[in-house]
Amino acid sequence: MSDICVSIVSHGQGKIANPLLNDLERRCSGHNVVLTKNIPEEFPIRDRQYPLLQIENPSPKGFAANHNQAFRHCDSGLFCVANPDIRLQADPFGHLKAAMSDPRVGVVAPLILNPEGTVEDSARYFPTPFGLLRKALGRSDGRFPIDLNRPSAVDWTAGMFMLFRSEAFAEVGGFDEGFFLYYEDVDICARLWKAGWKVILQPTTSVVHDARRTSHTNLKYMRWHVSSMMRYFAKHLGRRPNISKITGRLNLDL
């Protein structure tokens, strides 16, 4: 049995997913991959040095449903969710697993860099209407402060690359399939904290992501974004976990 099951979903993105499959082969070990083709596509897959399961959906699913489906094929202690446009410059899993030495860490994520090497805002405070107003007025970007030299407990971390303890993922029921494309990551982090699991950013390792903020330019994606935001507030507003009481915020001892 592999240590880690990696779930990757392609939405007709074979050209950008294949380099990630190559990175996993060249730079990492001790894992298997579940590759979901969410829409029909010509995506030739050569033999890999790791176990690779391919799923072809008869009809498209959302982010949550695709990764929950992959998890049902996972028999590993750790479950990694990775966007197809992630690139690995080195094996991130050793550092991420080190953060799991605390048995109450439910999910850990690396630093996310853009192709120019700038740190992206992947660790953020839980959203609130007041926080969104401050962001709209340019008074805050919602970014969670972290220590670049040691693991930090954060409110939530973005879903382009997350390493879950499989036990924790199963305990909270995986991603909420009522969301579609947005806020699945915010919601599952809130539920992990509420269930007594920690959400950690591990800054001693990083992956590269070419972020494409489609919701800012496409009306359909913007509608999905707003709908997911309203669902999140209906579930969690006024009931957000106070992680400072659980961990002392940035004084986390791992």
Side-chain angles (χ1 to χ4, degrees), residues 85-97:
D85 53 0
I86 288 290
R87 295 293 172 267
L88 306 180
Q89 298 176 319
D91 183 353
F93 293 118
H95 287 264
L96 297 178
K97 287 193 290 185

Side-chain angles (χ1 to χ4, degrees), residues 1 10 19 27 29 36 54 56 106 111 122 127 137 149 170 185-186 188 191 201 216 231 242-243 253:
M1 183 178 71
S10 174
R27 306 185 190 284
S29 61
T36 302
Q54 295 186 63
E56 297 187 11
L111 281 183
S122 61
L137 295 174
N149 298 308
D185 44 10
V186 193
I188 197 170
R191 288 186 288 117
L201 185 115
H216 293 182
R231 178 179 176 84
N242 187 340
I243 74 168
D253 184 18

Side-chain angles (χ1 to χ4, degrees), residues 98-111:
M100 294 275 190
S101 61
D102 179 342
R104 295 313 298 171
V105 173
V107 64
V108 59
L111 281 183

Side-chain angles (χ1 to χ4, degrees), residues 1 6 26 39 43 48 50 57 90 96 111 127 135 159 161 167 196 198 211-212 253:
M1 183 178 71
V6 182
R26 290 195 304 263
I39 61 175
F43 188 169
R48 297 285 176 177
Y50 49 77
N57 288 338
L96 297 178
L111 281 183
K135 182 177 179 180
F161 198 95
E167 177 190 355
K198 298 174 184 177
R212 300 172 185 178
D253 184 18

